[in-house]
């Protein structure tokens, strides 16, 4: 049963990508002539906290302060601009280190009704911790028909 559900989700994802491509051609070639188009993709850096000291990044040198609280994210997600987002990438620092990681991602999913693709960028350290969070996130995405991709930055 799970295999069938996965195959159906894959077919749905491919059909959505084709529809998105054709819609993009139409919007770019026709609708853009009448005014600016709303954004369809977004990258959100959830936190600056990071458990790595990568030489190419140095984000670990930043002492995070004034990061958005859950209630501030809730207020921000009320903006209508988020209703058109179809592809979202979550990054950081190490996004999985945010104490409200899953709750905020679910808030994003609920606030973006057109969302069909969610990406997560991680450094892959703290493997058990990350895998636990990603498994829960994968279940949320699977239940909602959202394609989840995981990138490990090395």
């Amino acid at each position: 049963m799970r295999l069938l559900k996965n195959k159906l989700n894959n077919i749905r994802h491919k059909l959505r990508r084709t529809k998105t491509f054709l819609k993009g051609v139409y919007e770019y070639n026709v609708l853009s002539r009448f005014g600016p188009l709303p954004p369809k993709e977004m990258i959100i850096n959830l936190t600056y906290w990071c458990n790595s000291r990568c030489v190419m990044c140095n984000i670990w040198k930043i002492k995070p302060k004034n990061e958005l609280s859950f209630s501030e994210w809730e207020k921000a997600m009320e903006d209508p601009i988020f209703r058109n987002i179809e592809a979202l990438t979550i990054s950081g620092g190490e996004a999985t280190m945010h104490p409200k990681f899953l709750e905020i991602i679910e808030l994003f999913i609920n606030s973006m009704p057109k969302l069909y693709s969610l990406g997560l960028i991680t450094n892959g350290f703290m493997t058990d911790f990350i895998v636990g969070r990603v498994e829960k996130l994968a279940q949320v995405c699977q239940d909602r028909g959202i394609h989840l991709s995981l990138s490990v930055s090395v």
Side-chain angles (χ1 to χ4, degrees):
M1 184 66 164
R2 187 175 196 129
L3 182 62
L4 179 61
K5 191 172 184 177
N6 285 342
K7 285 186 178 187
L8 287 174
N9 279 339
N10 285 338
I11 291 169
R12 225 178 277 134
H13 178 69
K14 287 177 183 175
L15 287 173
R16 221 181 265 153
R17 281 181 31 198
T18 303
K19 176 186 166 196
T20 300
F21 172 77
L22 294 173
K23 185 178 173 190
V25 169
Y26 168 73
E27 289 174 346
Y28 179 77
N29 290 300
V30 178
L31 292 183
S32 67
R33 306 292 185 236
F34 300 103
L37 298 174
K40 303 278 186 200
E41 296 186 18
M42 177 175 271
I43 299 172
I44 294 179
N45 290 332
L46 197 54
T47 183
Y48 287 103
W49 289 108
C50 190
N51 59 328
S52 181
R53 293 180 180 252
C54 302
V55 293
M56 86 297 195
C57 177
N58 292 328
I59 200 168
W60 55 273
K61 291 181 179 179
I62 299 172
K63 299 297 179 218
K65 56 184 173 196
N66 299 328
E67 292 187 330
L68 296 179
S69 67
F70 184 80
S71 60
E72 290 170 321
W73 277 116
E74 280 182 313
K75 182 140 180 70
M77 289 296 116
E78 292 174 4
D79 192 301
I81 198 164
F82 294 106
R83 292 188 198 126
N84 291 306
I85 301 298
E86 297 173 357
L88 174 65
T89 300
I90 304 296
S91 188
E94 176 54 47
T96 61
M97 289 180 68
H98 193 289
K100 298 266 187 188
F101 172 75
L102 289 169
E103 293 92 337
I104 291 174
I105 303 292
E106 286 193 66
L107 172 66
F108 293 161
I109 290 171
N110 292 334
S111 302
M112 300 174 184
K114 296 181 181 179
L115 189 69
Y116 71 86
S117 178
L118 177 65
L120 173 65
I121 301 173
T122 178
N123 62 30
F125 298 132
M126 301 186 313
T127 308
D128 292 337
F129 176 78
I130 292 171
V131 167
R133 289 189 165 209
V134 170
E135 284 176 339
K136 291 175 184 171
L137 179 58
Q139 188 60 55
V140 169
C141 288
Q142 184 177 22
D143 292 346
R144 309 236 181 136
I146 296 171
H147 180 263
L148 175 65
S149 65
L150 179 66
S151 299
V152 179
S153 178
V154 287

